[in-house]
Amino acid sequence: MSAVPTVLVLDADPLPRLGRLTGRARVVHADETTLAGRLPEADVLLVWDFTSQAVRAAWPGGGPRPRWVHTASAGVDHLMCPELAASDTVVTNARGVFDEPIAEYVAALVLALAKDLPLTWELQRRHEWRHREGLRVAGTHAVVVGSGPIGRAIARTLKALGVTTAVVGRVPRTGIHGPEDLDRLLARADWVVAAAPLTEQTHGMFDLRRFGVMQPSARFLNVGRGQLVVEEALVQALERRWIAGAALDVFATEPLPPDSPLWRVPGLLVSPHMSGDTVGWRDELGAQFVELFERWAAGRPLRNVVDKQRGYVPGH
């Protein structure tokens, strides 16, 4: 390592606050058009623009590559390519920043759907008085698919609302169900929450068959990755009333195109990938990276190290 390591930032607006690195690192910036040319000079890559696919495109090029890549997101599918996965480069993520905010957002969605708040706001806009009956949340059943810290935070928050909650992970362990239990749990769930990382095993896991397994009163929520869901299948399930409703915060294509049928399908609440974004979240992400940099510069083990073959941080 050189006396002053080079930190390359894949930019997004607003830029991260890295003032604490002054004099300790040379910070340079790149966008999608310049990233490939600047990778060979970098000791560290900070993927601040975690919506970009630029790393996947630029990494296979020639020359040296950073020894550490950190992404300011929980998911790593946007940057992982075979060449990066096979390299000695360490990859870390923003594990821990989004857990509680996403759990709060899921709880808000559950309450909003149970109490039919979207229609209440629409009727208010139309000055229409229409009495209805809401659902009780306490006593209902939920399945959270994804046993990482986000999924576990969701389970804790739903349990506080009186919801009986089962968590499904990649492998069964104490308090966590394995994939072989998923269909059985879906068949009796009132709430199905997708919070899994995007991997070969989870891609498209919520398809027409899985929506068919759910009971007609079930509501489906996705705060994981858009590609967990076969969106055409969800549209069919809602139109055919196989399930009672859904809420999506993530999509296969973002921003969601104006002509997408998801905007118009009945019973679906759309939000623009905001479940983990609370006031000050970018500052938390920047501070987390600086703390990790300090560990890295001191030769101490990094936290939040991603298993590049699995696509997430293992061990919990």
Side-chain angles (χ1 to χ4, degrees):
M1 184 188 301
S2 60
V4 179
T6 296
V7 174
L8 175 62
V9 182
L10 178 59
D11 286 345
D13 187 41
L15 295 176
R17 297 182 179 180
L18 302 178
R20 284 167 55 189
L21 298 185
T22 301
R24 304 162 65 190
R26 171 176 171 257
V27 178
V28 296
H29 298 268
D31 58 20
E32 293 188 354
T33 65
T34 60
L35 179 65
R38 306 212 74 168
L39 274 177
E41 68 182 281
D43 297 295
V44 179
L45 173 62
L46 169 57
V47 185
W48 191 248
D49 184 359
F50 52 80
T51 67
S52 172
Q53 300 286 320
V55 176
R56 293 175 60 94
W59 194 271
R65 288 294 179 262
R67 285 163 289 166
W68 169 34
V69 174
H70 177 76
T71 180
S73 61
V76 298
D77 52 278
H78 58 290
L79 59 87
M80 200 61 65
C81 60
E83 293 80 3
L84 175 54
S87 73
D88 294 331
T89 296
V90 176
V91 176
T92 57
N93 71 354
R95 180 186 181 104
V97 172
F98 301 107
D99 307 356
E100 296 302 332
I102 291 178
E104 292 172 359
Y105 198 88
V106 168
L109 290 175
V110 166
L111 292 169
L113 293 173
K115 307 308 178 183
D116 203 16
L117 294 185
L119 181 56
T120 295
W121 289 325
E122 173 62 20
L123 293 173
Q124 177 181 340
R125 187 185 66 82
R126 288 156 35 185
H127 299 185
E128 183 176 339
W129 182 280
R130 188 193 306 174
H131 181 270
R132 287 116 56 225
E133 296 177 346
L135 300 174
R136 288 197 64 178
V137 171
T140 59
H141 293 79
V143 175
V144 178
V145 182
S147 60
I150 291 174
R152 298 198 305 272
I154 291 169
R156 289 193 302 271
T157 303
L158 292 181
K159 287 176 182 177
L161 295 176
V163 180
T164 300
T165 305
V167 179
V168 177
R170 187 181 67 89
V171 294
R173 54 196 186 275
T174 303
I176 306 293
H177 294 268
E180 63 278 3
D181 292 336
L182 179 56
D183 286 354
R184 174 179 61 82
L185 293 169
L186 291 179
R188 63 190 297 265
D190 302 292
W191 311 99
V192 178
V193 184
L198 181 61
T199 66
E200 291 183 4
Q201 292 71 36
T202 62
H203 191 286
M205 68 182 301
F206 290 100
D207 54 12
L208 203 60
R209 187 191 70 80
R210 282 262 161 74
F211 289 120
V213 169
M214 299 178 196
Q215 56 185 349
S217 60
R219 286 158 173 87
F220 174 78
L221 292 74
N222 187 11
V223 292
R225 304 298 284 175
Q227 294 87 347
L228 300 178
V229 179
V230 179
E231 293 176 345
E232 297 83 358
L234 177 59
V235 170
Q236 290 186 49
L238 289 167
E239 289 179 341
R240 298 174 183 177
R241 298 184 180 179
W242 288 1
I243 60 175
L248 300 180
D249 185 57
V250 288
F251 303 87
T253 300
E254 296 182 5
L256 187 64
D259 60 350
S260 170
L262 294 172
W263 289 109
R264 303 179 301 276
V265 67
L268 176 62
L269 184 61
V270 169
S271 60
H273 203 149
M274 58 181 283
S275 61
D277 303 346
T278 54
V279 175
W281 67 285
R282 292 183 179 88
D283 290 341
E284 288 187 57
L285 290 172
Q288 181 187 57
F289 172 74
V290 170
E291 290 170 5
L292 287 172
F293 176 87
E294 291 171 344
R295 296 180 67 89
W296 178 81
R300 299 164 59 197
L302 285 168
R303 299 190 180 103
N304 294 5
V305 175
V306 173
D307 183 318
K308 294 185 291 183
Q309 303 304 319
R310 296 182 184 179
Y312 55 89
V313 179
H316 297 278

